[in-house]
Amino acid sequence: MVHQKPDEATADETSISTQPPSYNLSQAPPVYKVGYPQKKNLTTEFTNTLRETFFHDNPLKQYKDQSASTKFKMGLQFLFPVFDWGRTYNLSKLKGDLIAGLTIASLCIPQDIGYSKLAYLEPQYGLYSSFVPPLIYAAMGSSRDIAIGPVAVVSLLIGSLLQNEVDHEKNKEEYLRLAFTATFFAGITQAALGFLRLGFLIEFLSHAAIVGFMGGAAITIALQQLKYVLGIRNFTKETDIVSVMESVWGSVHHGWNWQTVVIGFAFLAFLLLAKYIGKRNKKYFWVPAIAPITSVILATLFVYLFRADKHGVQIVNNIKKGINPSSVHKIYFTGPFVAKGFKIGVVCGMIGLTEAVAIGRTFAAVKGYQLDGNKEMVALGTMNIVGSMTSCYIATGSFSRSAVNFMAGCRTPVSNVVMSMVVLLTLLVITPLFKYTPNAILGSIIISAVIGLVDYEAAILIWKVDKMDFIACMGAFFGVVFKSVEIGLLIAVSISFAKILLQVTRPRTALLGNLPGTTIYRNTDQYPDARHVPGVVIVRVDSAIYFSNSNYIRERILRWSTDEEEKVKAEGLSKINFLIVEMSPVIDIDTSGIHALEDLHKNLQKRGIQLLLSNPGSIVIEKLQSSKLTEHIGSNHIFLTVADAVRFCTSKSMQEP
């Protein structure tokens, strides 16, 4: 039988008897002592910690024993994956990418025009942002399925944050420059996180908080579109539901335009029907994909033929023709707007990253390939840096377009290139045709697009699984809906951090008992049949012991001990003489934790109770040894398994008169 190394033992394994299959009852079972790891010097320890923190995936392994030219080629392929997958590109893949690219282009063009309005920018800036960034991403991105461009949530967020700093109507030029500045710093933030391998920072925003934030943002976005769908000219600039509904109902008698209402709701019904058809039958995925551009064409023709714009129907008017002009000179590199642009850029960049990486990982898992999160961040950051210099605002991965891209059969990022070329054609030739496009149809398209962001099924699942997560979800949701996007985001982040702090400062502990007929010790709450060992209290600590929780753990263990003492006294059972702390789940301990154990030992000694430790891991036992706590407790009181510790307690009790 091969025995587990002491420092590799898990919580389950340590409580299983070490008896070999041929164990003879007349023989004493073998007892293994806790192993002490070899001491490492400071440099080695620091290097190992650094490697595990930032290079856990060992990205440089592939470069080992390679020639300089090979290393250069591999480095080039790492930064520009197009040089890797491009070598095997063929006509079969082009066919899939061409169909997918044309399909998502028909979806993105009307969406881009609508999303630019969410950001309080002119329509062409939405199209600009679906031309240059997708080309950069196609060369540098590692996802085969992400469709790049402006998205509803980020558009709303950047518009809301920018509007708080500069009025988009009174200071149009300053507002535009601040938008490019925020985009530049969003790109810098994203690329820096990728280069420095700090992608784990975006994971501090929990899934539950994201679900709530996205759902709240979707409701807010949909409410904002009522001004276009109902034809209201004087509409509130606030985004909370109370202000919006007051603005809507306050103008019901004089502000609504019935022609606009007919156009808006008729095409909204058409778009929702198309989405329903595509959802019910996957082979009709193209129906909801082409529905937006079809709606735009039909609505534009209707307005032009009947001159509905003369009857109060608001239209897009002229969209500036031509490709992206340079905007390098418009980015603020000095002055008071730099700090504002940086702050807005960091927030929007992090949200954009979270959405894009989540989308990329989702589709990568479906297709069975690996997605390098850090490489994705570099690609997204670079495209936004270049985008800020070519009149684009923040672009990221769009879930709705990526889903269509996936179902349309995309094979590589070339589908983004095809989409970009269609957008280029639109900018050069087709933009004048959008002059009579009613704003109502753009509002309907956005409403139909964001409805999918309200994931009530995920919220129900979160409620069933974790109530604290549900509080985070609802906190973010109601913060966005009833206050603002910024407040909702702040609540989401705050509750996510609060949950982490709660779990760190108040870890779980469990009272263990023996499962009859075995040497296995388990939580008595989970296994009611588990029996308490006479004269012994066994407690398991399910967390690392740090300064933030050491006092709580000490007090909680003492409370377990006190409760058990009172219980045995009331029942007239044997006195508690031993307390065993099962330390298998304790992955680390700091000086505060060591002091807490020392205080626990002294406190128990005063009450005539001996402290025993079971299966401390390699890092823990090394620190206990360095602090000489092993000498205070006694090395003969530290055991490999709970069963060994209980056997020791039993033999000691039998020796006492």
Side-chain angles (χ1 to χ4, degrees):
M1 176 178 179
V2 179
H3 294 292
Q4 183 104 15
K5 292 181 181 179
D7 59 339
E8 293 177 347
T10 64
D12 286 346
E13 293 166 333
T14 55
S15 57
I16 298 175
S17 174
T18 55
Q19 299 171 5
S22 60
Y23 173 65
N24 189 332
L25 292 175
S26 64
Q27 299 175 345
V31 177
Y32 294 94
K33 294 292 185 181
V34 172
Y36 290 80
Q38 293 183 348
K39 283 190 172 294
K40 301 174 184 175
N41 60 48
L42 182 62
T43 303
T44 303
E45 190 172 353
F46 177 76
T47 303
N48 290 344
T49 302
L50 193 68
R51 186 190 303 120
E52 286 302 311
T53 302
F54 297 103
F55 302 98
H56 57 279
D57 53 347
N58 197 8
L60 301 179
K61 183 179 180 180
Q62 58 183 326
Y63 297 94
K64 189 177 180 180
D65 301 327
Q66 300 291 340
S67 64
S69 60
T70 303
K71 288 180 180 178
F72 175 77
K73 291 178 182 177
M74 292 173 68
L76 199 63
Q77 290 174 359
F78 178 82
L79 286 175
F80 300 97
V82 63
F83 290 118
D84 184 19
W85 56 261
R87 292 179 302 170
T88 58
Y89 200 74
N90 52 42
L91 287 175
S92 175
K93 292 180 179 179
L94 177 61
K95 180 183 176 182
D97 289 333
L98 188 63
I99 295 171
L102 292 172
T103 307
I104 58 175
S106 67
L107 178 63
C108 86
I109 291 170
Q111 282 187 350
D112 290 345
I113 296 172
Y115 291 159
S116 61
K117 289 182 176 292
L118 282 176
Y120 300 114
L121 295 169
E122 293 179 2
Q124 65 267 21
Y125 293 106
L127 294 172
Y128 291 160
S129 302
S130 278
F131 171 46
V132 172
L135 295 176
I136 304 297
Y137 183 84
M140 299 186 68
S142 56
S143 172
R144 306 171 195 167
D145 306 284
I146 286 182
I148 296 296
V151 297
V153 173
V154 176
S155 298
L156 175 68
L157 183 59
I158 191 172
S160 177
L161 294 175
L162 290 173
Q163 183 63 26
N164 289 341
E165 303 294 343
V166 180
D167 191 292
H168 73 283
E169 293 177 348
K170 296 178 181 177
N171 301 295
K172 194 172 183 179
E173 185 61 24
E174 282 186 358
Y175 183 90
L176 184 61
R177 293 187 64 182
L178 188 58
F180 295 148
T181 305
T183 303
F184 175 78
F185 283 112
I188 292 291
T189 301
Q190 294 169 335
L193 288 175
F195 273 119
L196 299 176
R197 304 184 68 79
L198 297 174
F200 60 86
L201 292 177
I202 66 172
E203 295 176 8
F204 278 99
L205 195 61
S206 68
H207 170 71
I210 292 172
V211 169
F213 175 75
M214 290 293 189
I219 298 294
T220 301
I221 291 167
L223 291 173
Q224 288 288 303
Q225 302 315 300
L226 291 177
K227 62 184 172 184
Y228 300 122
V229 175
L230 300 176
I232 303 172
R233 294 184 179 274
N234 298 318
F235 199 77
T236 180
K237 292 181 180 179
E238 301 296 328
T239 59
D240 64 281
I241 189 170
V242 176
S243 299
V244 170
M245 296 315 295
E246 284 179 350
S247 185
V248 168
W249 294 114
S251 57
V252 65
H253 297 297
H254 56 83
W256 293 18
N257 180 273
W258 72 266
Q259 293 97 331
T260 303
V261 172
V262 170
I263 294 172
F265 282 96
F267 282 102
L268 178 59
F270 169 71
L271 290 165
L272 293 177
L273 177 62
K275 182 172 283 192
Y276 176 77
I277 292 171
K279 192 174 183 180
R280 284 293 301 270
N281 195 327
K282 297 298 182 183
K283 70 179 182 180
Y284 293 125
F285 71 89
W286 52 271
V287 174
I290 67 168
I293 195 68
T294 304
S295 301
V296 167
I297 293 170
L298 293 175
T300 303
L301 282 173
F302 176 83
V303 172
Y304 177 74
L305 293 175
F306 295 97
R307 296 314 307 268
D309 55 311
K310 301 293 185 182
H311 299 281
V313 175
Q314 299 174 51
I315 58 175
V316 172
N317 284 318
N318 293 321
I319 299 177
K320 189 175 180 181
K321 192 176 178 181
I323 61 173
N324 307 33
S326 173
S327 56
V328 178
H329 60 287
K330 292 187 177 182
I331 299 174
Y332 287 111
F333 293 107
T334 58
F337 284 107
V338 174
K340 295 176 181 178
F342 176 78
K343 178 184 69 174
I344 296 170
V346 169
V347 174
C348 294
M350 295 287 274
I351 294 298
L353 265 186
T354 302
E355 186 170 357
V357 172
I359 293 168
R361 285 175 177 168
T362 299
F363 290 110
V366 173
K367 284 192 175 180
Y369 65 91
Q370 291 294 321
L371 191 72
D372 188 329
N374 291 299
K375 190 186 295 185
E376 283 295 285
M377 293 174 197
V378 173
L380 292 165
T382 304
M383 78 179 192
N384 277 316
I385 292 171
V386 175
S388 70
M389 299 177 181
T390 51
S391 299
C392 304
Y393 74 97
I394 299 172
T396 187
S398 164
F399 186 81
S400 59
R401 274 176 261 175
S402 298
V404 170
N405 195 32
F406 172 81
M407 289 186 287
C410 68
R411 304 289 296 278
T412 69
V414 169
S415 60
N416 276 293
V417 177
V418 174
M419 178 192 72
S420 182
M421 292 301 100
V422 175
V423 173
L424 172 63
L425 181 66
T426 302
L427 286 167
L428 292 175
V429 180
I430 305 174
T431 48
L433 300 179
F434 288 106
K435 178 179 179 179
Y436 291 99
T437 299
N439 288 335
I441 189 60
L442 300 177
S444 299
I445 290 170
I446 293 175
I447 291 173
S448 67
V450 300
I451 283 176
L453 295 177
V454 183
D455 196 348
Y456 64 90
E457 291 179 350
I460 293 171
L461 181 61
I462 290 168
W463 166 258
K464 292 178 180 178
V465 173
D466 192 316
K467 302 301 184 288
M468 187 65 185
D469 266 354
F470 185 76
I471 292 172
C473 179
M474 290 297 100
F477 178 83
F478 288 118
V480 174
V481 171
F482 285 98
K483 193 62 179 175
S484 66
V485 177
E486 308 95 275
I487 296 298
L489 185 59
L490 181 62
I491 291 173
V493 173
S494 300
I495 295 179
S496 295
F497 272 102
K499 183 183 177 184
I500 294 172
L501 291 174
L502 186 62
Q503 290 175 337
V504 170
T505 58
R506 294 295 182 268
R508 289 187 174 91
T509 58
L511 191 67
L512 304 186
N514 174 245
L515 295 179
T518 73
T519 55
I520 298 173
Y521 294 82
R522 289 292 180 266
N523 186 344
T524 54
D525 285 339
Q526 185 178 1
Y527 298 92
D529 292 338
R531 297 181 304 190
H532 295 282
V533 179
V536 181
V537 176
I538 309 170
V539 179
R540 189 182 67 219
V541 179
D542 293 334
S543 166
I545 306 176
Y546 293 133
F547 66 93
S548 58
N549 62 22
S550 57
N551 288 330
Y552 170 80
I553 289 174
R554 182 192 65 224
E555 297 299 328
R556 190 68 186 88
I557 292 175
L558 286 173
R559 185 146 55 92
W560 280 121
S561 174
T562 303
D563 291 346
E564 287 301 301
E565 283 185 304
E566 292 175 353
K567 182 178 177 181
V568 299
K569 186 176 180 181
E571 296 177 0
L573 301 175
S574 57
K575 177 181 176 294
I576 300 295
N577 294 313
F578 302 96
L579 188 144
I580 302 171
V581 179
E582 159 67 311
M583 301 187 72
S584 298
V586 180
I587 58 173
D588 200 0
I589 191 170
D590 65 3
T591 53
S592 297
I594 291 170
H595 282 298
L597 285 181
E598 190 173 7
D599 290 343
L600 176 65
H601 175 57
K602 291 177 181 178
N603 197 305
L604 291 173
Q605 274 187 327
K606 292 176 182 178
R607 293 158 56 179
I609 300 175
Q610 176 63 53
L611 174 65
L612 289 79
L613 303 181
S614 167
N615 194 36
S618 60
I619 294 175
V620 175
I621 194 65
E622 184 179 6
K623 292 184 178 181
L624 294 181
Q625 185 183 34
S626 299
S627 67
K628 300 189 183 302
L629 185 60
T630 52
E631 296 179 12
H632 295 154
I633 296 175
S635 57
N636 60 323
H637 293 147
I638 302 175
F639 299 88
L640 180 61
T641 69
V642 175
D644 291 341
V646 170
R647 192 178 296 118
F648 171 85
C649 298
T650 304
S651 64
K652 281 289 184 182
S653 298
M654 292 175 65
Q655 292 173 11
E656 294 179 358

